[in-house]
């Protein structure tokens, strides 16, 4: 007489369950991102503004080279990649700020945030997935924009200052442009989650990135200079510079670290408020 051992239900490993949850969250956030009508327009605006204005500003600089003061000429000749990458991205980053805010606030305005929070009651994984997916998309688009921008600008600038990807720090700077934009996108998502109102969040984000830095220049002495150096937009954009300029208080990687710290703090505040407040 043989005894048959009872069959026991085999449970999938907990790690596999966790991986499926992460993939499912990422897929859900990707679907919501591409369903936004503003996504295509904002990313297209980023590409067009960055490449277009870089070409215009670089051409204008070369065409009126004799009218540029000698100090600025020396700065451009010594670091042409900084001039090329800084011209268009200053405007293109606005598209990232706006879209990053809309990724969150559009769900609050439409009411779909309630369904999202019902699907993921812990809330923090949803914010992490939303931020991670948006950062990945912005990084890819940023690099797709950065390389043509650099090649266009270097071709126009060649008669006054030649530069190539093989020059020290240049390749890192071109890749760094995409890294900076992805951090900026994460900040915009965090601000959107904190404010939850589209107009207010966009105003706050643009003011934080573009308005606050010039205002710090009005502070007398070296205090304003140090405050400005540690603002996220000023510090983070240094990663898109091949080398540290004499006026920079931080190196490119130090600046990127400061911007990353700002991003972590804003996301931590957003996560805290997301757990504390009702949808």
């Amino acid at each position: 007489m043989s005894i048959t051992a009872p069959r026991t239900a085999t449970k999938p490993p907990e790690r596999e369950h966790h991986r499926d949850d992460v993939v499912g969250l990422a897929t859900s956030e990707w679907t919501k991102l591409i369903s936004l009508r503003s996504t295509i327009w904002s990313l297209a605006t980023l590409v067009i503004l960055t490449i277009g204005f870089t070409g215009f500003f670089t051409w204008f600089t070369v065409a009126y080279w004799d009218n540029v003061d000698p100090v600025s000429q020396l700065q451009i000749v010594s670091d042409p990649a900084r001039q090329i990458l800084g011209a268009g991205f200053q405007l293109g980053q606005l598209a990232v700020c706006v879209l990053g805010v809309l990724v969150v606030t559009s769900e609050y305005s439409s009411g779909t945030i309630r369904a999202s929070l019902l699907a993921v009651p812990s809330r923090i994984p949803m914010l992490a997935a939303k931020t991670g997916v948006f950062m990945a998309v912005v990084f890819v688009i940023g690099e797709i924009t950065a390389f043509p921008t650099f090649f266009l600008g270097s071709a126009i600038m060649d008669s006054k200052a030649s530069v190539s990807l093989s020059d020290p720090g240049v390749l890192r700077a071109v890749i760094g442009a995409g890294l900076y934009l992805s951090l900026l996108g994460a900040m915009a998502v965090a601000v959107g989650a904190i404010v939850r109102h589209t107009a207010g969040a966009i105003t706050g984000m643009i003011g934080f990135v573009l308005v606050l830095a010039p205002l710090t220049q009005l502070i007398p002495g070296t205090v304003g200079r140090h405050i400005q150096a540690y603002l996220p937009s000023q510090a983070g954009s240094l990663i898109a510079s091949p080398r540290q300029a004499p006026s920079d208080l931080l190196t490119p990687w130090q600046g990127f670290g400061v911007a990353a710290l700002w991003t972590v703090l804003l996301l931590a505040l957003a996560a805290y408020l997301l757990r504390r407040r009702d949808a």
Side-chain angles (χ1 to χ4, degrees):
M1 181 177 179
S2 60
I3 300 177
T4 304
R7 296 182 179 180
T8 57
T10 58
K11 295 182 179 180
E14 186 176 346
R15 185 177 299 177
E16 187 174 335
H17 266 307
H18 179 70
R19 184 171 63 249
D20 291 342
D21 291 342
V22 171
V23 173
L25 273 173
T27 303
S28 173
E29 294 302 329
W30 165 254
T31 302
K32 286 190 284 187
L33 178 61
I34 61 175
S35 65
L36 280 174
R37 287 180 295 179
S38 56
T39 298
I40 301 300
W41 289 108
S42 296
L43 295 178
T45 301
L46 166 64
V47 176
I48 294 171
L49 280 180
T50 302
I51 297 177
F53 276 97
T54 296
F56 172 75
F57 288 139
T58 308
W59 169 84
F60 190 85
T61 301
V62 172
Y64 294 90
W65 183 257
D66 293 336
N67 296 329
V68 179
D69 64 271
V71 175
S72 298
Q73 286 183 359
L74 182 61
Q75 291 175 346
I76 295 171
V77 171
S78 62
D79 195 357
R82 188 185 185 113
Q83 172 76 11
I84 293 169
L85 293 174
F89 275 98
Q90 291 297 318
L91 292 174
Q93 65 184 351
L94 293 177
V96 175
C97 294
V98 172
L99 183 58
V101 166
L102 288 174
V103 164
V104 179
T105 58
S106 61
E107 289 197 63
Y108 280 98
S109 61
S110 64
T112 56
I113 187 66
R114 296 183 182 89
S116 298
L117 295 180
L118 284 174
V120 190
S122 59
R123 300 190 177 193
I124 305 303
M126 182 201 70
L127 179 63
K130 190 183 296 292
T131 305
V133 168
F134 187 63
M135 287 183 70
V137 170
V138 171
F139 175 74
V140 171
I141 299 299
E143 295 307 324
I144 290 174
T145 306
F147 279 93
T149 295
F150 172 78
F151 290 130
L152 174 64
S154 61
I156 298 173
M157 187 74 72
D158 188 63
S159 61
K160 301 300 180 183
S162 62
V163 60
S164 68
L165 285 177
S166 60
D167 292 344
V170 172
L171 179 59
R172 188 261 304 147
V174 176
I175 296 175
L179 289 174
Y180 166 63
L181 288 178
S182 65
L183 271 188
L184 193 65
M187 291 183 207
V189 171
V191 171
I194 293 169
V195 179
R196 302 198 298 183
H197 186 272
T198 300
I202 290 176
T203 302
M205 189 63 195
I206 292 177
F208 195 49
V209 171
L210 296 180
V211 179
L212 195 57
L215 289 178
T216 58
Q217 296 178 355
L218 302 177
I219 302 175
T222 60
V223 176
R225 183 165 171 257
H226 280 78
I227 293 175
Q228 183 186 36
Y230 285 88
L231 291 176
S233 58
Q234 297 298 114
S237 60
L238 292 177
I239 195 63
S241 301
R243 63 176 72 100
Q244 183 179 5
S247 59
D248 294 334
L249 298 181
L250 303 173
T251 66
W253 283 113
Q254 287 173 342
F256 186 75
V258 169
L261 181 59
W262 274 99
T263 304
V264 170
L265 292 175
L266 286 172
L267 285 172
L269 178 60
Y272 172 77
L273 294 176
L274 188 63
R275 294 188 64 179
R276 297 282 295 179
R277 298 187 298 200
D278 294 331

